[in-house]
Amino acid sequence: MNELLDQTDLRHREKMANRKRVQDAKVAGKTITEKGLLMVHTGSGKGKSTAAFGLLLRALGHGWRCAVVQFGKGAWDSGERAALARFEDLVECHALGAGFTWETQDRAGDVASAEAAFAKAEALMRDPALKLIVLDELNIALRYDHLPVARIVEVLSARRPDLHIVVTGRNAKAELIAAADLVTEMTLVKHHFAAGVRAQAGVEF
């Protein structure tokens, strides 16, 4: 029995040693050690903003100064804003807008809110102390043409080399996807909303 366990352990060690050699070779081939990334979280599944705030939490763990601009979520009393208020020395959060466009039913107002939110984002991008900016639901503003996608992509692409930016929201524009360094699509497999469960504090907001 012990001999069988020894053989199993030996095969495992050999397999993992080979796996490590392959992984080390992949890593060695990557020559860029630091780069400010443009990251896009999109798709119909839940978790786009959640993932962005998880990334922000990781950044806070490294002592980074960060900022958040929320497009269209100004009317929501969200848990993430309440939590980030506890890190006011490292994070500034700006929730702009009166709600989602289907709630406001005021296109001119939505456009003005989106423009004000992106103006704030541009101002934050000029702050050299910031290392990560989350542009939450910017994709929604672009989807409804509240902002010109060409100008937005141009500004985001011209960010300084060490600045990370995360853009969230479903239906990301093709131009933004092409410009991004990382694109993650959240795929909907199953959602409790379909079973009649409303948005809940601590889960959805």
Side-chain angles (χ1 to χ4, degrees), residues 69 92 94 116-128 130 133 155 160:
V69 179
E92 51 180 295
H94 304 275
F118 196 73
K120 171 56 71 174
E122 287 187 276
L124 292 168
M125 289 173 66
R126 291 191 291 269
D127 183 349
L130 293 174
I133 300 175
V155 170
R160 67 176 194 274

Side-chain angles (χ1 to χ4, degrees), residues 73 81 93 152 182 188:
K73 284 186 175 176
R81 288 205 299 273
C93 191
I152 301 309
L182 171 69
L188 177 62

